[in-house]
Amino acid sequence: MTTVPAGKSTRPPSLDAVFAHAWAAGGFTAADAMASTGLTRSTTIEAMDTLVELGLLRELPNARAVGDYRKGRPARRFELREDAGVLVGVDAGHAHLTAVVTDLRSQRLGIRRTTRQVDRDDAADRRAAIADLVDDALRAAGRTRADVLALCVGVPAPVDESGRSPHHRHLFWDRMNPGLADVFRAWAPLVRVDNDASLAAVAEGSVGAAVGCRSYIALLAGERLGSGVVIDGNLLRGAHGGVGEMVAFDHVEGVGTARGLGTRAAEWALEAIERGDVTGPLAAIPRDRLDGQAVIELASQGDPDAQRIVHRVGVVLARIVATLGSMFDPERVVVTGAIAAGVAEVVAAAREALPTGMDLPAPDLAISQLGADVVVTGAVAAAAALARDRLLDVWTRPAA
């Protein structure tokens, strides 16, 4: 969601075209921008000069000065001012919060993390904690709120196009997204609040395992299942932002719940221990350290008890992938989030268990390499896209 209403711009379209080229390019000349935009030379130069006056471009030493041009009149060279402001990406997870500040090239300038006590979480405290974390990250970057050009927050709740989440019968969504759009649009020019799995999908499509794919699903699969769905190059949302919600799996035979892969592995390991079915290393793990990652790690080390549990989790993953494949027909499903770092054994089992009698081809099953920061990576990418597409709608800052 943005804080700026859509409307007809009175500025020349050439300004947007040259700005978009500058955003994607490094140093460039008028000829480069002309080739990219199709504009005339005079229009291109006028747009570049205007963007310099606005403080969004800087003029570089000419081509002769840097040794790239030796005859005739040297070409003027320009580049985006990456220091003209900052982008902010936030992963406002259930228990873990992360805020990252970057320049306009998405180079990290500051980061802050904190952990919430979920049993004491309420909307007002959570709202204040997220705002404080953003301020802390800005201080770490040596910047202030006045420097922020675009900000994006990911939350574990469905989010509609206005940045708001529907009421939840247990108030979970209400607490996870406690009016964050209103909190940040009070001072940030461009704001987007979105579902965390949707932002994971943005990350995977931008720099992850779905680069080049037009139809894919990012499956956040740690504590609970969540999915970001991209079909034909479009991130799907739905009327209430609920396209990626996985509660439907409560009714899918062989899945039965939206609990994540790590949660299942830990629960099934604990059940096996309590039944006395395991006696090796798995049984020796202290109960307060028995989580999905521990089970998966033991399986990768060859522990047969853990491997049986991991295989069982893989069969469930295969059913999930097959169901998503029949619903959305994606080219690829990417298992993403913190659990992806050790999920190879689960994915291998899932690939073996994928049904072969489906009407549609089964999607490719891939593992993310973006780790636990996938949501905040997607949030930064979304903030960058927001700034690229809408910054000229709100920019009034003169050149420094």
Side-chain angles (χ1 to χ4, degrees), residues 53-135:
E53 292 172 4
L54 289 173
L56 291 172
L57 293 189
R58 65 164 60 93
E59 188 164 0
L60 299 172
N62 63 47
R64 179 179 294 163
V66 295
D68 292 338
Y69 194 96
R70 299 187 182 279
K71 292 183 179 181
R73 183 179 178 182
R76 296 169 67 194
R77 300 173 64 250
F78 300 83
E79 70 175 3
L80 179 74
R81 278 192 55 184
E82 73 282 350
D83 60 348
V86 297
L87 310 173
V88 179
V90 183
D91 177 6
H94 187 194
H96 303 283
L97 310 179
T98 303
V100 170
V101 177
T102 76
D103 64 18
L104 296 192
R105 292 295 189 192
S106 299
Q107 297 301 305
R108 186 173 292 183
L109 303 175
I111 182 171
R112 285 293 181 266
R113 305 179 192 271
T114 190
T115 301
R116 299 285 293 164
Q117 293 188 349
V118 296
D119 58 339
R120 301 179 185 177
D121 201 22
D122 65 55
D125 286 347
R126 183 176 182 82
R127 188 164 50 240
I130 294 169
D132 288 346
L133 189 69
V134 169
D135 286 334

Side-chain angles (χ1 to χ4, degrees), residues 219-226 258-264 336-339:
L219 182 65
L220 277 177
E223 295 181 5
R224 288 188 62 80
L225 297 174
R259 292 195 304 276
L261 305 182
T263 301
R264 292 170 195 264
T336 190
I339 196 171

Side-chain angles (χ1 to χ4, degrees), residues 7 15 51 55 79 125 154 204 256 307 354 387 389 395:
L15 210 59
L51 291 169
E79 70 175 3
D125 286 347
E204 296 297 346
Q307 286 179 333
L354 276 172
D389 297 339
W395 183 262

Side-chain angles (χ1 to χ4, degrees), residues 41-55:
R41 181 174 184 82
S42 61
T43 301
T44 300
I45 291 174
E46 182 180 3
M48 291 191 301
D49 286 339
T50 299
L51 291 169
V52 169
E53 292 172 4
L54 289 173

